[in-house]
């Protein structure tokens, strides 16, 4: 065969194969494909929160997510934080693109940085825990362990308000949530305010000694900066797919929860410098209850943005006591909900590998 013709055929073959590879990469927008240096996508999360901690652990070990982001020229990094308020500056500065956040820090965050609320991570309770028999009105003058601007802090404010009290009527003791049970047991505080799993585990271990003085429903979410979802919509969907896939993984085999609990206990120890005083099975039981409450799905109800939703009520309450600026608008919160990302992913289970699991040890 003529060498010139052979070269021409080879060139055509290479062009066809290149086009085939580009078409076979799945739902990748051309603008998101990169052959240059990888951009780092950072997810800030809270290992001390249930079930968000184990959900994100599954996402962190998800090889499919890493592969799909790598095809878009992106690497993946996870950063552990002690509480939701710690990630707000990271989102503002662009040091994090995704984060897990519960109600009170979320309400604060949407007023300082444009966010897309992508999927729901929990629907349980934050509690004020103390000796059995202690009532909300008995908290006056007491020392209460508290992590500022958290869902636990919000629960405390609501419990105090129900008894006609405010923060000025108690002595708030700043504490990381992992230190609260020991502080209560050792008498350093008279009660503490915390989010799950800390309250239920504390009460479950000492049911005759401790109880819930009051509780407040708590919800949390996976959020992204609006800038990221606008610039990288398909990458955002891949992260959402990993979230959906993680919950499905937990549902198909209960032992997977134990695996993620082990990962999360290691992450908690790395964050706090101390081994969590909780057994794997005890932790897993609490996490499974939280996942069942969500129906093992991060899909968000449209009622979350109704005029009488928990979040809007919480925002109005926080305004009334001066914790959120009076100027904070409902539209900023309502407009942050981005329902279509998870919903679109769930409509395409094959395309987004929702039933294919590949988790690194």
């Amino acid at each position: 065969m003529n060498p010139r013709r052979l070269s021409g055929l080879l060139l055509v073959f290479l062009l066809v194969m290149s086009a085939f590879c580009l078409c076979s990469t799945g739902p990748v927008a051309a603008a998101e494909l990169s052959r240059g240096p990888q951009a780092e996508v950072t997810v800030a999360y809270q290992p001390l929160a249930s079930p968000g901690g184990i959900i994100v652990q599954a996402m962190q070990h998800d090889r499919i997510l890493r592969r799909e982001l790598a095809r878009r020229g992106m690497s993946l990094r996870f950063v552990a934080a002690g509480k939701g308020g710690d990630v707000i500056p990271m989102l503002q500065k662009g040091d994090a693109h995704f984060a897990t956040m519960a109600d009170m820090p979320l309400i604060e965050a949407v007023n300082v940085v444009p966010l897309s609320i992508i999927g729901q991570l929990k629907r349980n309770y934050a509690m004020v825990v103390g000796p059995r028999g202690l009532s909300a009105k008995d908290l006056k003058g007491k020392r209460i362990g508290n992590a500022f601007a958290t869902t636990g802090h919000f629960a405390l404010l609501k419990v105090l308000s129900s008894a006609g009290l405010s923060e000025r009527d108690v002595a708030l003791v700043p504490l990381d949530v992992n230190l609260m049970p020991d502080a209560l047991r050792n008498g350093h505080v008279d009660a503490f305010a915390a989010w799950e799993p800390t309250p239920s585990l504390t009460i479950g271990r000492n049911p005759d000694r401790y109880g819930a003085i009051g509780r407040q429903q708590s919800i949390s979410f996976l959020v992204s900066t609006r800038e990221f979802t606008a610039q990288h919509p398909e990458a955002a969907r891949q992260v959402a797919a990993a979230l959906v896939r993680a919950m499905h993984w937990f549902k198909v085999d209960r032992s997977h929860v134990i695996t993620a609990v082990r990962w999360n206990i290691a992450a908690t120890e790395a964050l706090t410098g101390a081994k969590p005083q909780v057994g794997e099975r005890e932790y897993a039981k609490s996490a499974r209850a939280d996942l069942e409450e969500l129906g093992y799905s991060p899909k968000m109800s449209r009622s979350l943005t109704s005029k009488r939703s928990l979040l809007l009520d919480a925002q109005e309450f926080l305004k009334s006591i001066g914790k959120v600026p009076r100027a904070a608008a409902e539209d900023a919160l309502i407009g942050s909900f981005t329902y279509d990302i998870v919903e679109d992913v769930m409509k395409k289970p094959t395309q987004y590998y929702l039933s294919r699991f590949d988790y690194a040890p």
Side-chain angles (χ1 to χ4, degrees):
M1 183 180 290
N2 187 301
R4 183 174 296 177
R5 185 179 180 188
L6 179 61
S7 297
L9 289 173
L10 180 60
L11 178 60
V12 170
F13 174 76
L14 291 174
L15 288 172
V16 170
M17 288 304 296
S18 296
F20 173 77
C21 291
L22 182 59
C23 292
S24 66
T25 55
V28 186
E32 291 191 82
L33 284 172
S34 172
R35 294 172 186 260
Q38 286 194 326
E40 190 172 66
V41 179
T42 301
V43 181
Y45 77 106
Q46 301 154 70
L48 294 167
S50 178
I54 68 163
I55 293 171
V56 176
Q57 286 301 329
M59 295 172 67
Q60 187 169 355
H61 287 75
D62 189 342
R63 289 191 180 104
I64 295 174
L65 173 59
R66 292 184 183 274
R67 184 194 72 205
E68 292 301 314
L69 289 181
R71 287 166 55 194
R72 291 160 177 83
M74 297 175 176
S75 62
L76 189 59
R77 182 172 73 104
F78 289 81
V79 178
K83 57 185 186 296
D86 294 343
V87 308
I88 296 176
M90 297 175 66
L91 293 167
Q92 285 180 288
K93 296 174 184 177
D95 294 334
H97 308 96
F98 293 86
T100 60
M101 305 189 81
D103 30 52
M104 186 165 171
L106 176 62
I107 291 168
E108 180 184 349
V110 297
N111 287 289
V112 295
V113 57
L115 294 178
S116 293
I117 302 171
I118 294 173
Q120 192 163 357
L121 296 178
K122 77 169 182 181
R123 185 170 57 243
N124 53 25
Y125 291 90
M127 304 183 202
V128 180
V129 176
R132 289 184 63 84
L134 199 69
S135 68
K137 65 181 180 180
D138 296 328
L139 291 174
K140 186 172 184 178
K142 295 291 192 294
R143 298 161 299 166
I144 303 176
N146 178 65
F148 181 75
T150 62
T151 188
H153 189 186
F154 175 54
L156 174 61
L157 295 174
K158 292 287 283 187
V159 170
L160 291 173
S161 178
S162 71
L165 302 174
S166 73
E167 287 178 302
R168 294 185 296 275
D169 297 306
V170 299
L172 295 182
V173 179
L175 277 177
D176 291 335
V177 69
N178 59 299
L179 302 178
M180 292 181 183
D182 278 348
L184 178 61
R185 188 163 43 250
N186 297 333
H188 295 154
V189 296
D190 302 302
F192 67 75
W195 57 92
E196 292 288 28
T198 299
S200 291
L201 294 177
T202 301
I203 295 170
R205 286 184 164 190
N206 304 274
D208 297 328
R209 186 175 181 183
Y210 302 125
I213 298 170
R215 65 180 189 169
Q216 172 68 26
Q217 189 174 31
S218 176
I219 51 181
S220 72
F221 304 90
L222 177 68
V223 308
S224 172
T225 60
R226 198 172 300 170
E227 180 182 20
F228 185 90
T229 55
Q231 292 182 355
H232 307 284
E234 189 53 41
R237 279 170 170 74
Q238 292 297 336
V239 174
L243 173 61
V244 175
R245 190 162 49 243
M247 292 197 185
H248 191 192
W249 187 58
F250 292 137
K251 185 177 182 179
V252 298
D253 189 335
R254 290 169 62 86
S255 70
H256 294 158
V257 174
I258 287 284
T259 299
V261 162
R262 288 172 182 156
W263 292 336
N264 202 51
I265 286 176
T268 300
E269 186 173 355
L271 174 67
T272 64
K275 191 172 182 64
Q277 297 181 3
V278 55
E280 291 176 359
R281 295 191 178 281
E282 186 181 22
Y283 193 157
K285 180 180 179 181
S286 174
R288 286 193 192 102
D290 290 335
L291 288 164
E292 287 168 5
E293 179 63 26
L294 286 175
Y296 290 89
S297 170
K299 186 176 178 180
M300 300 181 295
S301 167
R302 289 299 201 279
S303 65
L304 288 167
T305 48
S306 69
K307 289 297 182 182
R308 301 192 62 176
S309 73
L310 172 67
L311 278 175
L312 290 178
D313 284 347
Q315 181 171 263
E316 287 306 307
F317 172 75
L318 293 171
K319 282 184 183 181
S320 72
I321 60 173
K323 293 296 182 183
V324 169
R326 283 281 182 183
E330 286 186 356
D331 291 347
L333 184 55
I334 293 174
S336 298
F337 279 84
T338 312
Y339 294 99
D340 65 299
I341 294 180
V342 162
E343 290 176 355
D344 287 354
V345 164
M346 293 180 73
K347 289 175 185 176
K348 303 169 184 175
T350 303
Q351 179 174 305
Y352 285 102
Y353 310 112
L354 300 187
S355 297
R356 185 184 298 180
F357 308 125
D358 185 8
Y359 292 99

